[in-house]
Structures are given as structure tokens and as C-alpha cells.
Amino acid sequence: MIHRTIRGIEIPALGLGTWQLTGDACTEGVEHALDLGYRHIDTAQAYENEDQVGTALRNTPVDRDEIYLTTKVWVENLVPAAVRRSTEASLRRLGTDYVDLLLIHWPSTDVPLERTLDAMMVLRDEGKTREVGVSNFTPSLVRRALDHAPILCNQVEYHPFLDQDALLDLAEARDLLLTAYSPLARGRVMEDETMQAIAEAHGKTPAQVALRWLLQQDQVAAIPKASTAAHREANVDVFDFALSEDEMDRIFDLAGDERLIDPSFAPAW
Ligand SMILES: NC(=O)c1ccc[n+]([C@@H]2O[C@H](COP(=O)([O-])OP(=O)(O)OC[C@H]3O[C@@H](n4cnc5c(N)ncnc54)[C@H](OP(=O)(O)O)[C@@H]3O)[C@@H](O)[C@H]2O)c1
């Protein structure tokens, strides 16, 4: 496993995403991932699986302090009292005293960002989260957040088909982690000819090449979701090969601006 070090904090660069993993499949999937060596798990209040992630954390022989655990505060819970109430409920469901990273899941147009961040920083001071961060924030929203609180991370859609240059530049300039969600473009990387050609040259799959491409970018972590055991195994088997500069560039050239995750409440990019 490789790590990112952001302002002295170590974060495993590859994690398991758990959106749409529910019930026993979620518990078993998280336990299996931890058996395979994953040490970073991504959940959210909105995924309605924190209970199942919590069961996996109780069942696994891996110590809690070896696991990097992220959850996210849903958009309806961004006023200060709800930040506290909902985060404490997340911790109860997860069966842990703290998360490593607490994110604002989506920016709010109703609640001033600074009020939410202040409430999250109080939770950090109390030890209920180690760090705070944001998700689905545009560059200008990230700058506004950084002006107010030392956010560690912006979790956004990032894969070979989406240009994130502006956020990557900002991540480098301000020493911020960019966590890539939907890193496999929800499976679409498998169908792309360039990805297939590069994969073939390495004896890997396009999904593994996409993850490797992300992991060869300094400020980036990736959290692929896999409900099948074989996919979880494949996604952690990306540390025994490297992409050349030319291969990296060919993948960068695939970037466009179409988002796969674009709900009505998304900010204007
Ligand atoms: N912050 C946010 O707003 C936000 C939004 C979206 C996602 N996320 C996070 O990011 C995580 C990942 O994103 P995602 O679930 O949207 O998409 P993704 O990880 O890009 O893709 C998941 C899809 O790819 C398939 N897959 C996984 N590994 C594969 C492999 N090695 N070969 C071929 N196919 C493979 C999975 O199939 P199987 O499931 O059948 O194995 C699933 O259909 C989420 O689970 C969540 O934790 C966050």
C-alpha cells in the first residue's frame, strides 16, 4: 500500500468505496477488503450502510487505528446542531469513537459554509474526527473553505474521462488531498480502447490501469467501489507495475468535461 502524506498526515492512497454496498454484502465486502490489505474505507450518512461498515470494523482482526475511515455529513445536516447530532449518530452506527476524516458531502446553498466548518472543527477539537474536509467543491469553494479552516481533502469525481486540472493545481499549491471518486468512471474505463491497449501492454485490466494512473499522481487517492470479491482483489493488485510518462499522457489526453455524478443540487462547475 502506498500513502499520501498531507501536512504530516498519512493517508492510504487506495481505499474501498461503499456507495450502493448495503446489507451483508457491505459487511462482507469491507471485511474482505481489510483482509486483502485495504486500510482506507469510504462511507457516508447518505449511503445508509454505516451500521454494516461498523459491523465489519468489529469483526475484522485489523485494529481500528490501522484503518483510515471517512464519513460524510449529508446536505440536510449542515447547520451546526445537525452536524453534531448526525456525526454522533454516524459514530454510534460505525461503533467507533472517531472517524479519521469527516467531509461535507455536497456544498450547501442555504447554510453558510463557515458555520458548518466551525461546527466540524469543534468536533475535531473533541476528537470525534481527526480531520475535516469537503466533497464536490469547486476551486472557488475550496479556496473559501481554506480561508476559514484547515481542510485536508476535497473528494470529487475524477477518472480518465474528466479533466480536474484546476483542482489538481490547487491541491498541489495548498497541500490538499484530492480523493478521486468514481475512479473507474463507474466501469466505463473497461470499454475505452486506449485504456484497453495500455492494459494489454502490462498484462493488466483497464480498471487497474485507471487506478495506477491515479496513484501515480502525487496529491491523489482513489476509492474504487467493488461489490464482487474478484474486483476487490484486482483493484488492490496495482502495485507491481508502473505507467510510463507517455502512457500517463495518453490517459490525460482522454479527459473531457462530462460528469457522471451530476445531481440537481451540484454546484456550477
Ligand atoms: N462524494 C461523493 O459525492 C461521491 C459520489 C460518488 C461516489 N463516491 C465514492 O466513490 C466510490 C466509488 O465510486 P463509484 O461507486 O461511483 O464508481 P467506481 O468505483 O468508479 O465504479 C464502480 C463500478 O465498477 C465496477 N468495478 C470495480 N472494480 C472493477 C474492476 N476491477 N474491473 C471491472 N469493473 C470493476 C464495480 O462493479 P462491482 O460492484 O460489480 O464489483 C462497479 O460497477 C463510491 O463507492 C463512494 O464511496 C463519492
Side-chain angles (χ1 to χ4, degrees), residues 19 42 135-136 155 182 184 186 223 225 227-228 231 235:
W19 182 31
D42 181 82
S135 179
N136 296 299
Q155 181 183 125
S182 305
L184 308 175
R186 317 211 77 205
I223 48 168
K225 172 255 184 182
S227 52
T228 46
H231 285 161
N235 294 346

Side-chain angles (χ1 to χ4, degrees), residues 15-35:
L16 179 75
T18 68
W19 182 31
Q20 295 170 332
L21 266 179
T22 53
D24 290 346
C26 179
T27 302
E28 286 160 21
V30 172
E31 276 186 70
H32 178 236
L34 292 168
D35 284 348

